[in-house]
Amino acid sequence: MRLLEVVPDRDDHPLDVIEMVAHDNEWAFERSGDNEIAISVSGRWAQYVVSYSWMEDCEALHIACAFDMKVARNRHSEVQKLVGLINEQLLMGHFDFWQREHVIMYRQSLLLAGGLDPTERQIEALLAGAVDACESYYSAFQYVVWSAQSARSALEAALFETAGNA
């Protein structure tokens, strides 16, 4: 018998913890099934839909954060270049571009092998990390999609930091 075939007992379903955290933080959420919950989060640049999915077969909690920005076909190649450049900058998680749906999203997984349960802090950290990544690079995606900028110039503009206040 392979070790991966052993399915440990869990005290609670991992999404129950997420539902509790969402309720405690007064976040709008919808539990669309036994293994998926979606939370709506307002950011500075956009409204984000954060979906948590429980993947029983690999005992992982998957988070996906999407924002409403449809990519025209003629910008697919440059968006893919930008995704690659951004992913080089990220320590955890990554961006994906789904060509068929014309959608950009941030994704990450939390491995909970051996029957581990997620903590409230882990759930909050996953959500904060996803939204922070989307907020940090939203303008770069916007430059490429709507302003027809190159991936490199869009990333440089997004990472440009100003000093002081106007």
Side-chain angles (χ1 to χ4, degrees):
M1 176 191 271
R2 291 178 37 211
L3 292 176
L4 293 177
E5 293 175 4
V6 176
V7 179
D9 291 331
R10 292 186 179 278
D11 293 333
D12 296 311
H13 193 290
L15 294 188
D16 292 342
V17 177
I18 297 167
E19 190 170 334
M20 183 184 68
V21 170
H23 183 269
D24 290 348
N25 285 288
E26 298 180 2
W27 297 331
F29 69 91
E30 180 180 345
R31 185 102 177 237
S32 55
D34 289 342
N35 293 320
E36 189 166 331
I37 187 169
I39 300 171
S40 181
V41 179
S42 294
R44 186 176 71 224
W45 298 109
Q47 185 73 21
Y48 301 103
V49 177
V50 181
S51 297
Y52 288 92
S53 301
W54 174 243
M55 300 164 54
E56 182 71 40
D57 57 334
C58 58
E59 294 184 89
L61 186 60
H62 177 261
I63 184 172
C65 184
F67 45 88
D68 187 21
M69 185 183 296
K70 297 292 184 187
V71 180
R73 287 196 190 282
N74 66 335
R75 301 306 297 159
H76 282 197
S77 177
E78 207 60 35
V79 166
Q80 287 177 322
K81 289 177 189 173
L82 179 58
V83 165
L85 290 171
I86 290 171
N87 285 342
E88 290 175 1
Q89 307 289 316
L90 297 175
L91 178 61
M92 293 181 280
H94 65 278
F95 280 95
D96 278 333
F97 174 56
W98 291 7
Q99 287 188 33
R100 190 176 319 167
E101 292 83 6
H102 312 282
V103 174
I104 301 161
M105 72 175 58
Y106 173 88
R107 299 178 352 141
Q108 186 175 348
S109 294
L110 175 64
L111 186 62
L112 297 168
L116 297 173
D117 291 320
T119 67
E120 291 180 31
R121 179 68 189 116
Q122 287 172 317
I123 299 306
E124 291 170 351
L126 279 172
L127 186 129
V131 172
D132 285 349
C134 289
E135 287 281 289
S136 294
Y137 296 104
Y138 184 88
S139 61
F141 286 115
Q142 198 174 38
Y143 288 149
V144 168
V145 172
W146 295 333
S147 299
Q149 296 290 315
S150 72
R152 182 145 324 269
S153 65
L155 182 60
E156 288 170 0
L159 295 179
F160 179 75
E161 292 186 31
T162 59
N165 294 326

